[in-house]
């Protein structure tokens, strides 16, 4: 390892290794030094430089490696490793799902999957908005550690992602997302062989690309695979995020006071954006009903995706993880 600095005090140098606490390295500026990584083959390694204000670092580089020859590790055969599908539902409250006791039939398809698997009763979002919360899901780090905490910030380059960890272990990786907060410029595409962001379109009534279209893209990739390696597939749907514009038939099923004309829904959503403090209890309830309707509409699309995976023989060799990045608030805490 070698580096130099232009001004100020020399930086502290840290070795970051997957599964181990950070370790300070005694590396002198302007010289090369061999660093003992103490890491088995395939474990991600990071080097972090931590400088004081006014310091300027120059030309950090890893210039070589010394190692002791060891017998190559025997990797499990692809058939012995499950595929992994990580499905993130943006802005989905756990307490609006039937499998968590909600009395309205919002999620029969997800409920069916939950009955066959493991239902986590106590999971906590690490942030109340998409970028930091999803970065925590994909890195296993708190927001203060992974760095994606503002609209300008992305995942720190020295923090390994789940896709990077799986790809180095022989997985083929793909991600299909519908929220700009998890687009490639913010580090979310790292480790993916294919990463596709389906952009929002404000002129569309729903703004976000719907789950059915999102699922078609993911299945197209899955059907086009030629590799025998296991796969990691990350899907991020944003259907239940505001604006709450379910189709009329779903809205009619959940609106407590009966169907609302499209113009009335649009006016309500406009006030939600422009003057949320002006909304009364009945209007908040109507928005909450529309949110439930969107969950039910998403759940039907999710059921079709799971059915497609079952039809392709993927139900038995795939770990399916369904999680929300965060929930939604309807005056629960005043907002």
């Amino acid at each position: 390892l070698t580096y130099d600095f232009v001004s100020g005090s020399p930086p502290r140098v840290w070795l970051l290794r997957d599964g181990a606490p950070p370790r300070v390295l005694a590396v002198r500026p302007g010289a090369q030094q061999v660093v003992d990584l103490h890491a088995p083959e395939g474990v991600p390694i990071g080097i972090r430089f931590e400088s004081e204000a006014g310091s300027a670092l120059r030309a950090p580089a890893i210039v070589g490696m010394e190692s002791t020859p060891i017998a190559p590790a025997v990797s499990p055969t692809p058939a012995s490793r499950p595929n992994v599908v990580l499905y993130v539902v943006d802005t989905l409250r756990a307490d609006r799902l039937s499998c968590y006791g909600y009395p309205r039939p919002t999620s029969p398809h997800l409920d069916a999957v939950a009955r066959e698997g493991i239902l986590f009763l106590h999971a906590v979002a690490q942030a109340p908005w998409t970028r930091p919360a999803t970065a925590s899901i994909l890195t296993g780090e708190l927001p203060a550690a992974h760095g994606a905490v503002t609209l300008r910030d992305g995942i720190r380059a020295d923090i390994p992602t789940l896709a990077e960890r799986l790809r180095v272990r022989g997985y083929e990786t793909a991600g299909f997302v519908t929220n700009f907060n998890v687009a490639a410029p913010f580090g979310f595409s790292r480790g993916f062989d294919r990463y596709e962001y389906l952009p929002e379109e404000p002129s569309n009534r729903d703004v976000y690309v719907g789950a059915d279209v999102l699922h078609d893209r993911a299945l197209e990739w899955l059907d086009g695979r030629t590799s025998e390696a296991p796969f990691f597939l990350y899907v991020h749907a944003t259907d239940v995020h505001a604006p709450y514009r379910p189709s009329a038939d779903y809205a009619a099923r959940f609106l407590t006071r009966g169907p609302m004309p499209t113009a009335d829904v649009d006016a309500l959503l406009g006030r939600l954006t422009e003057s949320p403090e002006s909304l009364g209890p009945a209007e908040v309830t109507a928005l909450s009903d529309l949110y439930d309707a969107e969950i039910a509409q998403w759940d039907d699309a999710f059921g079709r995706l799971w059915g497609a995976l079952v039809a392709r023989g993927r139900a038995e060799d795939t770990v399916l993880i369904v999680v929300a990045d965060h929930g939604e608030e309807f005056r629960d805490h005043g907002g």
Side-chain angles (χ1 to χ4, degrees):
L1 180 70
T2 182
Y3 74 97
D4 204 346
F5 69 101
V6 180
S7 61
S9 302
R12 297 182 77 187
V13 185
W14 298 79
L15 174 68
L16 309 175
R17 178 167 71 82
D18 192 18
R23 178 161 60 94
V24 177
L25 301 176
V27 182
R28 299 184 304 276
Q32 293 187 11
Q33 183 165 336
V34 174
V35 176
D36 189 349
L37 302 179
H38 294 291
E41 182 179 1
V43 172
I45 293 292
I47 301 293
R48 184 172 77 207
F49 296 90
E50 192 173 280
S51 61
E52 297 179 356
S55 296
L57 185 68
R58 181 173 62 193
I62 298 174
V63 298
M65 181 176 68
E66 290 189 1
S67 62
T68 303
I70 58 174
V74 179
S75 299
T77 61
S80 68
R81 291 177 291 168
N83 305 305
V84 179
V85 175
L86 172 63
Y87 196 121
V88 177
V89 193
D90 207 294
T91 323
L92 178 63
R93 290 175 62 134
D95 65 358
R96 295 300 180 92
L97 303 173
S98 312
C99 54
Y100 287 102
Y102 195 49
R104 306 181 96 179
T106 54
S107 54
H109 299 289
L110 184 60
D111 300 341
V113 171
R115 284 193 296 271
E116 297 178 12
I118 299 171
L119 181 67
F120 288 86
L121 299 179
H122 185 70
V124 179
Q126 299 306 314
W129 65 289
T130 297
R131 190 175 302 163
T134 307
S136 287
I137 293 170
L138 293 175
T139 66
E141 299 284 353
L142 294 170
H146 63 58
V149 293
T150 76
L151 288 172
R152 298 182 301 275
D153 297 325
I155 299 172
R156 279 175 37 185
D158 60 339
I159 300 293
T161 67
L162 179 57
E164 289 176 309
R165 289 173 170 173
L166 289 175
R167 187 163 69 174
V168 80
R169 288 161 174 79
Y171 276 73
E172 187 176 3
T173 55
F176 298 87
V177 304
T178 55
N179 190 315
F180 178 69
N181 276 299
V182 294
F186 307 110
F188 288 86
S189 64
R190 288 196 346 241
F192 284 99
D193 301 306
R194 177 175 173 183
Y195 197 81
E196 187 171 343
Y197 159 56
L198 285 64
E200 295 90 337
E201 180 49 67
S203 63
N204 290 344
R205 180 168 176 77
D206 296 327
V207 179
Y208 297 97
V209 173
D212 277 329
V213 175
L214 174 67
H215 299 163
D216 286 344
R217 295 289 183 90
L219 291 171
E220 178 185 359
W221 171 81
L222 186 63
D223 292 340
R225 293 181 70 240
T226 58
S227 171
E228 294 184 0
F231 65 81
F232 168 56
L233 174 61
Y234 162 45
V235 179
H236 192 120
T238 321
D239 297 53
V240 308
H241 190 290
Y244 316 114
R245 289 192 174 107
S247 61
D249 54 336
Y250 286 93
R253 285 165 45 190
F254 286 90
L255 280 166
T256 307
R257 300 194 176 189
M260 292 176 63
T262 300
D264 291 352
V265 172
D266 289 345
L268 185 59
L269 293 171
R271 289 178 57 201
L272 173 63
T273 302
E274 296 165 8
S275 57
E277 69 284 349
S278 71
L279 298 172
E283 294 163 314
V284 173
T285 297
L287 290 169
S288 179
D289 289 342
L290 292 170
Y291 175 75
D292 283 351
E294 286 205 324
I295 295 173
Q297 188 166 338
W298 165 81
D299 181 75
D300 281 346
F302 171 76
R304 289 188 288 273
L305 173 66
W306 182 240
L309 292 174
V310 170
R312 287 162 171 78
R314 293 301 187 182
E316 298 303 321
D317 64 356
T318 299
V319 175
L320 172 65
I321 304 162
V322 182
V323 64
D325 55 347
H326 57 80
E328 184 65 295
E329 184 180 354
F330 294 96
R331 295 270 168 83
D332 304 75
H333 306 284

